[in-house]
Amino acid sequence: MKIGIVIAIERELEAFLKSNYEIEEFNDGAFTCFKTVVNNNEVYAVKSGWGLIDAAMATQYLITKYNVKSILNFGVTGALDPSLKVSELFYVSKCVNFDFDTSSIDDVTKHQYGDMEDMFVYLDKDLIALLKTIEPNIKEAVDASGDMFVEETADKEARFAIGCNICDMEIVAIARVCYLNNVKCLSIKCISDTYDGDGSDFEKNVRSSANKAFQIIDKLLNEMNE
C-alpha cells in the first residue's frame, strides 16, 4: 500500500527525519519528497508549509503523483479549551474551515461546504478504529482550521463556541482534499500552546510536541497494510 504523510513545517518534519527509517530524499516537482518503506508499505512524506493552500496542494500532489491510498498528518496544535495542557495527544475526528462562509448566498450554515452534511469535514473511521487498537486511551479532538496563528483570546473563544477544542492551519484542507479524492485521512495532534499560551509557547514546545505526535504515527505505520 502507498501512504502519504503531510507535515506542515520543518520543526515538525524533524521528528520523521530523525526516525530509524531508511529515507530517500528527492525533489520531484513542487515539493521535496521523503520516501521510505514501513511494514511493506511505500511511504511518501512532504513538508507542505503553513496554511490551507499549501496543505491542500501537498495533499493533492501525493494523491496524484504517487497514488497514495491514505494520508496521515501529524503535528502540533493550539488549545481552545482552557483545561488542555502542553503535550496532550489527540486524534482529529472532524474539522472545520473557520474562514469559510457562503451562507449569505447558499443554503448552508456558516463554515459549511455545500456538499457536506454539516460544517465539519470528517476523518476516516477505519483509520481511527485502527488507531484505537494501538492507543486505546487517545483523546478525540475537533479542530478549527484557518490561515491564522490563533493567539488572541477572542479568536479562541469564537472557535471554541462552535464545538472545537483545538486549532491549526492545515488539517481541514488535507481532510477536504482526501474527501474529494476518496482517500483515507487521519491526523494526530499534540498541544504545543495552551489556551493562555502564545507564540513563545509554540516555539518552546513545537519540537517535543511534534515528536510525541510522530511516535503515534510510527506505531500506526507499522500496523497498516492492505
Side-chain angles (χ1 to χ4, degrees), residues 49-104:
W50 294 103
L52 302 183
I53 293 173
D54 288 4
M57 184 176 177
T59 305
Q60 190 63 59
Y61 162 81
L62 288 172
I63 293 170
T64 302
K65 184 72 177 183
Y66 299 109
N67 195 32
V68 300
K69 300 304 181 186
S70 298
I71 293 281
L72 307 180
N73 164 255
F74 74 90
V76 301
T77 188
L80 302 176
D81 182 335
S83 70
L84 301 185
K85 298 177 176 61
V86 168
S87 82
E88 284 192 81
L89 278 168
F90 298 88
Y91 71 91
V92 178
S93 60
K94 57 186 179 181
C95 49
V96 61
N97 184 347
F98 194 80
D99 298 331
F100 187 81
D101 183 10
T102 63
S103 60
S104 63

Side-chain angles (χ1 to χ4, degrees), residues 6 40 52 65 89 124 132 141 145-146 215 220 223:
V6 177
N40 295 318
L52 302 183
K65 184 72 177 183
L89 278 168
D124 186 72
K132 288 182 177 179
S145 288
Q215 299 309 311
L220 192 67
E223 294 295 328

Side-chain angles (χ1 to χ4, degrees), residues 63 98 132 138 148 152 159 175:
I63 293 170
F98 194 80
K132 288 182 177 179
I138 193 167
M148 177 178 74
E152 299 298 325
R159 288 157 176 78

